[in-house]
Amino acid sequence: MANNTNIKYSTKEKILKYAIKEFLEYGFYGARMQRIADKAKINKAMLFYYYKNKKQIYKEALISIFKTVIENLINISNEDVPIEDKIKEIIDIYADFATKNPDYLRLVQYEFSRGGKDFAKYNILKDISKSQFFPLNPDTGNIFKYFDKKMKSGEIRNINLAHLIISIAGQVMASFFARPLFETIGVYKSSDFDKFIKERKEFIVKLVLDGIKKK
Amino acid sequence: MANNTNIKYSTKEKILKYAIKEFLEYGFYGARMQRIADKAKINKAMLFYYYKNKKQIYKEALISIFKTVIENLINISNEDVPIEDKIKEIIDIYADFATKNPDYLRLVQYEFSRGGKDFAKYNILKDISKSQFFPLNPDTGNIFKYFDKKMKSGEIRNINLAHLIISIAGQVMASFFARPLFETIGVYKSSDFDKFIKERKEFIVKLVLDGIKKK
DNA sequence: TTATTAGTTAACCAATTGGTTAGTTAATTG
DNA sequence: CAATTAACTAACCAATTGGTTAACTAATAA
């Protein structure tokens, strides 16, 4: 039985789902097994029935989240649209994912704030970073190919594409990562975060476009 | 006596110093009072002699760190230098501080990953964000004044300055915040982080300059 | 039907935790 | 000097923690 019936598989899934919420709220050390069980409305012993220990649950949560994040940020199309549209597409994908999955982003941030110890240890990106779609892959990444063409045709000046991608992502993600700061000092009126993000997207598009186009 | 002799004051200072290291390594919940005492080579009971409890030590650590961070990132001069130099100055200040204080940045990142609960609660920026030097202060911030002048003189196009500052800071800080990612996927050759930062600084200067200058 | 296996549970436990206490030593003060 | 206060310590403790165990139930298979 074990792995295939609905009920039983869903218990294992539930554990991961609520464990993620717990790790997010309290971090690895602050997370409590009992609370995960309570949230999932199951007996605590089930955690140890399906997983070896706390560390392993965290590991699987990390892997699951990073895969989701990467898979979502990777979907840059291969279409040969005007640069304006391409830049917009990239920024939209990043901002939309961050908007819809604030929790996932926060766990990434948490893991990075720990120096990414487990992130490195578990070889989470081993396969995916070699994928031909991985945006930072200089040989095959779709973004690389696209901008390479635009540089050769002279539409944009010669730039380091890894830096361009980091710059775009950095500008977008900063809006989410430093949100507590912005709210505290009142960069935008409270509850106007969405409007703030919309403005930011437009600002970044224009800054980057003007920054890379040939004069 | 208490507060004024060297030896005794330095015990209290030692606690904060090593508590910061501990919080950084393990987060709030993972931090152990015994380990802080061991690191500081003092008796554990001294922690409770000088501070009410663990939470208060974290609070004071946070306040101390945020003050240092802000005070360092605030020092943008009032000088009327060419835009090239001004952009460079801002980027240098951010990158240099991040390079020299990786630990501080990581605790900021950690606190933000928790949603900045304590950051908001302790009113850490209450005073400082109203300072006339605070870069995001639109009325008096030095950066605002400088760029405002450049916009009026027509050297740069009309832009939202808060967004500009966030964009610059975001691009610089991304290099440090996402370091575990960059190292895992090999964006730069290992042990070449400094070179990578130097490249990034140059890239950002050029992108931003071309992005805001009038054609 | 019966045996086997998977799923689930309550009760339990050793180890660790943040925090306290009662007392000692060292410094300051009058 | 004696008296007071501050700095410091070892031993302790209640509460909590991650993890185990032995027993129970429900499903599947022969």
Side-chain angles (χ1 to χ4, degrees), chain B residues 168-207:
Chain B
I168 294 176
Q171 285 178 81
V172 177
M173 291 311 178
S175 324
F176 298 89
F177 282 172
R179 186 168 172 178
L181 174 69
F182 298 147
E183 307 221 322
T184 302
I185 62 179
V187 168
Y188 50 86
K189 278 87 202 154
S190 53
S191 81
D192 262 10
F193 183 68
D194 291 343
K195 197 182 147 206
F196 169 70
I197 291 297
K198 207 182 146 217
E199 278 175 22
R200 259 207 83 56
K201 278 161 67 175
E202 286 160 11
F203 180 89
I204 299 168
V205 170
K206 204 154 175 5
L207 186 79

Coordinates of all heavy atoms in Angstrom, one line a residue, chain B residues 168-207:
Chain B
I168 N 19.3 51.4 -7.3 CA 20.7 51.3 -7.1 C 21.1 50.4 -6.0 O 21.9 49.4 -6.1 CB 21.3 52.7 -6.8 CG1 21.2 53.6 -8.1 CG2 22.8 52.6 -6.4 CD1 21.6 55.0 -7.9
A169 N 20.5 50.6 -4.8 CA 20.7 49.8 -3.7 C 20.4 48.3 -4.0 O 21.1 47.4 -3.6 CB 19.9 50.3 -2.5
G170 N 19.3 48.1 -4.6 CA 18.9 46.7 -4.9 C 19.9 46.0 -5.8 O 20.2 44.8 -5.5
Q171 N 20.4 46.7 -6.8 CA 21.4 46.0 -7.7 C 22.7 45.7 -6.9 O 23.3 44.7 -7.1 CB 21.7 47.0 -8.8 CG 20.6 47.0 -9.9 CD 21.0 48.0 -11.0 OE1 21.7 47.6 -11.9 NE2 20.5 49.2 -10.9
V172 N 23.1 46.6 -6.0 CA 24.3 46.4 -5.3 C 24.1 45.3 -4.3 O 24.9 44.3 -4.2 CB 24.8 47.7 -4.5 CG1 26.0 47.4 -3.7 CG2 25.1 48.8 -5.5
M173 N 23.0 45.4 -3.5 CA 22.8 44.4 -2.4 C 22.5 43.0 -2.9 O 22.9 42.1 -2.2 CB 21.7 44.9 -1.5 CG 22.0 46.2 -0.7 SD 23.6 46.0 0.2 CE 23.8 47.6 0.9
A174 N 21.9 42.9 -4.1 CA 21.6 41.6 -4.6 C 22.9 40.8 -4.7 O 22.8 39.6 -4.5 CB 20.9 41.7 -6.0
S175 N 24.0 41.4 -5.0 CA 25.2 40.7 -5.2 C 25.6 40.0 -3.9 O 26.3 39.0 -3.9 CB 26.3 41.7 -5.6 OG 25.8 42.7 -6.4
F176 N 25.2 40.6 -2.7 CA 25.6 40.1 -1.4 C 24.5 39.1 -0.9 O 24.8 38.1 -0.4 CB 25.9 41.2 -0.4 CG 27.0 42.1 -0.8 CD1 26.8 43.2 -1.6 CD2 28.3 41.8 -0.5 CE1 27.9 44.0 -2.0 CE2 29.4 42.6 -0.9 CZ 29.2 43.7 -1.6
F177 N 23.3 39.5 -1.1 CA 22.2 38.8 -0.5 C 22.0 37.4 -1.2 O 21.6 36.4 -0.6 CB 20.9 39.6 -0.6 CG 20.7 40.6 0.4 CD1 19.7 41.5 0.4 CD2 21.6 40.7 1.5 CE1 19.5 42.5 1.3 CE2 21.5 41.7 2.4 CZ 20.4 42.6 2.4
A178 N 22.3 37.4 -2.5 CA 22.1 36.1 -3.2 C 23.4 35.4 -3.4 O 23.5 34.5 -4.3 CB 21.4 36.4 -4.5
R179 N 24.4 35.8 -2.7 CA 25.7 35.1 -2.8 C 25.7 33.6 -2.8 O 26.4 33.0 -3.7 CB 26.7 35.7 -1.8 CG 28.1 35.2 -1.9 CD 29.1 36.0 -1.1 NE 30.4 35.4 -1.1 CZ 31.5 35.8 -0.5 NH1 31.4 36.9 0.2 NH2 32.6 35.2 -0.6
P180 N 25.0 33.0 -1.9 CA 24.9 31.5 -1.9 C 24.5 31.0 -3.3 O 25.0 29.9 -3.8 CB 23.9 31.2 -0.8 CG 24.0 32.3 0.1 CD 24.2 33.5 -0.8
L181 N 23.5 31.7 -3.9 CA 23.1 31.2 -5.2 C 24.2 31.4 -6.3 O 24.5 30.4 -7.0 CB 21.9 32.1 -5.7 CG 21.3 31.8 -7.1 CD1 20.7 30.5 -7.2 CD2 20.3 32.9 -7.5
F182 N 24.8 32.5 -6.3 CA 25.8 32.8 -7.3 C 27.0 31.7 -7.1 O 27.5 31.3 -8.1 CB 26.4 34.2 -7.2 CG 25.3 35.2 -7.4 CD1 25.4 36.4 -6.7 CD2 24.3 35.0 -8.3 CE1 24.4 37.4 -6.9 CE2 23.3 36.0 -8.5 CZ 23.4 37.2 -7.8
E183 N 27.3 31.4 -5.9 CA 28.4 30.5 -5.7 C 28.0 29.1 -6.1 O 28.8 28.4 -6.7 CB 28.8 30.5 -4.2 CG 29.1 31.9 -3.7 CD 30.3 32.0 -2.8 OE1 30.6 31.1 -2.0 OE2 31.1 33.0 -2.9
T184 N 26.8 28.7 -5.9 CA 26.3 27.4 -6.2 C 26.3 27.2 -7.7 O 26.8 26.1 -8.2 CB 24.9 27.1 -5.7 OG1 24.9 27.3 -4.3 CG2 24.5 25.7 -6.0
I185 N 25.8 28.2 -8.4 CA 25.8 28.0 -9.9 C 27.0 28.5 -10.6 O 27.1 28.4 -11.8 CB 24.5 28.7 -10.5 CG1 24.6 30.2 -10.3 CG2 23.2 28.1 -9.9 CD1 23.4 30.9 -10.9
G186 N 28.0 29.0 -9.8 CA 29.2 29.4 -10.4 C 29.2 30.6 -11.3 O 29.8 30.6 -12.4
V187 N 28.6 31.6 -10.8 CA 28.5 32.9 -11.6 C 29.9 33.5 -11.7 O 30.3 34.0 -12.8 CB 27.5 33.9 -11.0 CG1 27.7 35.3 -11.6 CG2 26.1 33.4 -11.2
Y188 N 30.7 33.3 -10.7 CA 32.1 33.7 -10.7 C 32.9 32.6 -10.2 O 32.4 31.7 -9.5 CB 32.3 35.0 -9.9 CG 31.8 34.9 -8.5 CD1 32.5 34.4 -7.5 CD2 30.5 35.4 -8.2 CE1 32.0 34.3 -6.2 CE2 30.0 35.3 -6.9 CZ 30.7 34.7 -5.9 OH 30.2 34.6 -4.7
K189 N 34.2 32.6 -10.6 CA 35.1 31.5 -10.1 C 35.2 31.7 -8.6 O 35.4 32.8 -8.1 CB 36.4 31.6 -10.8 CG 36.4 30.9 -12.2 CD 36.0 31.9 -13.3 CE 35.5 31.2 -14.5 NZ 34.5 32.0 -15.3
S190 N 35.3 30.6 -7.9 CA 35.4 30.6 -6.5 C 36.6 31.5 -6.1 O 37.6 31.5 -6.7 CB 35.5 29.2 -5.9 OG 36.6 28.5 -6.5
S191 N 36.4 32.2 -5.0 CA 37.4 33.1 -4.4 C 37.6 34.3 -5.2 O 38.6 35.1 -5.0 CB 38.8 32.3 -4.2 OG 39.5 32.3 -5.4
D192 N 36.8 34.5 -6.2 CA 36.9 35.7 -7.0 C 35.7 36.6 -6.8 O 35.3 37.4 -7.6 CB 36.9 35.4 -8.5 CG 38.3 35.3 -9.0 OD1 39.3 35.4 -8.2 OD2 38.5 35.3 -10.3
F193 N 35.2 36.5 -5.6 CA 34.0 37.4 -5.2 C 34.4 38.9 -5.3 O 33.5 39.6 -5.9 CB 33.5 37.0 -3.8 CG 32.3 37.8 -3.4 CD1 31.1 37.5 -4.1 CD2 32.3 38.7 -2.4 CE1 29.9 38.2 -3.7 CE2 31.2 39.4 -2.1 CZ 30.0 39.2 -2.7
D194 N 35.5 39.2 -4.9 CA 35.9 40.7 -4.9 C 35.9 41.2 -6.3 O 35.5 42.3 -6.6 CB 37.3 40.9 -4.2 CG 37.2 40.6 -2.7 OD1 36.0 40.6 -2.2 OD2 38.2 40.4 -2.1
K195 N 36.5 40.4 -7.2 CA 36.6 40.8 -8.6 C 35.1 40.9 -9.2 O 34.8 41.8 -9.9 CB 37.4 39.7 -9.4 CG 37.8 40.2 -10.8 CD 38.6 39.1 -11.5 CE 38.4 39.2 -13.0 NZ 38.5 37.9 -13.7
F196 N 34.3 40.0 -8.8 CA 32.9 40.0 -9.2 C 32.2 41.3 -8.8 O 31.5 41.9 -9.6 CB 32.2 38.8 -8.7 CG 30.7 38.8 -8.8 CD1 30.1 38.6 -10.1 CD2 29.9 38.9 -7.7 CE1 28.7 38.6 -10.2 CE2 28.5 39.0 -7.8 CZ 27.9 38.8 -9.1
I197 N 32.5 41.7 -7.6 CA 31.9 42.9 -7.0 C 32.4 44.1 -7.8 O 31.6 45.0 -8.1 CB 32.1 43.0 -5.5 CG1 31.4 42.0 -4.7 CG2 31.8 44.4 -5.0 CD1 29.9 42.1 -4.8
K198 N 33.7 44.1 -8.1 CA 34.2 45.2 -8.8 C 33.6 45.4 -10.2 O 33.2 46.5 -10.6 CB 35.8 45.0 -9.0 CG 36.6 46.3 -9.1 CD 38.0 46.0 -9.3 CE 38.6 47.1 -10.2 NZ 39.6 46.5 -11.2
E199 N 33.4 44.3 -10.9 CA 32.8 44.2 -12.2 C 31.3 44.8 -12.0 O 30.9 45.5 -12.8 CB 32.7 42.8 -12.7 CG 33.9 42.3 -13.4 CD 33.8 40.8 -13.8 OE1 32.6 40.4 -13.9 OE2 34.8 40.2 -14.0
R200 N 30.7 44.2 -11.0 CA 29.3 44.6 -10.8 C 29.1 46.1 -10.6 O 28.2 46.8 -11.2 CB 28.6 43.9 -9.6 CG 27.8 42.7 -10.1 CD 26.7 42.3 -9.1 NE 25.5 43.1 -9.2 CZ 24.8 43.3 -10.3 NH1 25.2 42.7 -11.5 NH2 23.7 44.0 -10.3
K201 N 30.0 46.7 -9.8 CA 30.0 48.1 -9.5 C 30.1 48.9 -10.8 O 29.3 49.8 -11.1 CB 31.1 48.5 -8.6 CG 30.7 48.2 -7.1 CD 31.9 48.2 -6.2 CE 32.6 49.5 -6.1 NZ 33.7 49.5 -5.1
E202 N 31.0 48.5 -11.7 CA 31.2 49.2 -12.9 C 30.0 49.0 -13.8 O 29.5 50.0 -14.5 CB 32.4 48.7 -13.7 CG 33.7 49.1 -13.0 CD 34.9 48.3 -13.4 OE1 34.8 47.4 -14.3 OE2 36.0 48.4 -12.8
F203 N 29.4 47.8 -13.8 CA 28.2 47.6 -14.6 C 27.1 48.5 -14.2 O 26.4 49.1 -15.0 CB 27.8 46.1 -14.5 CG 26.6 45.8 -15.3 CD1 26.7 45.4 -16.7 CD2 25.3 45.9 -14.8 CE1 25.6 45.1 -17.4 CE2 24.2 45.6 -15.5 CZ 24.3 45.2 -16.9
I204 N 26.8 48.5 -12.9 CA 25.7 49.3 -12.4 C 25.9 50.8 -12.6 O 24.9 51.4 -13.1 CB 25.5 49.0 -10.8 CG1 25.3 47.5 -10.6 CG2 24.4 49.9 -10.3 CD1 25.4 47.1 -9.1
V205 N 27.1 51.3 -12.4 CA 27.3 52.7 -12.7 C 26.9 53.0 -14.2 O 26.1 54.0 -14.4 CB 28.8 53.0 -12.5 CG1 29.1 54.4 -13.1 CG2 29.2 52.9 -11.1
K206 N 27.3 52.2 -15.1 CA 27.1 52.5 -16.5 C 25.6 52.3 -16.8 O 25.0 53.2 -17.5 CB 27.9 51.5 -17.4 CG 28.2 52.0 -18.8 CD 29.4 51.5 -19.3 CE 29.6 51.9 -20.8 NZ 28.7 52.9 -21.3
L207 N 25.0 51.3 -16.3 CA 23.6 51.0 -16.6 C 22.7 52.2 -16.1 O 21.8 52.7 -16.8 CB 23.1 49.7 -16.0 CG 21.7 49.3 -16.3 CD1 21.6 48.7 -17.7 CD2 21.1 48.3 -15.3

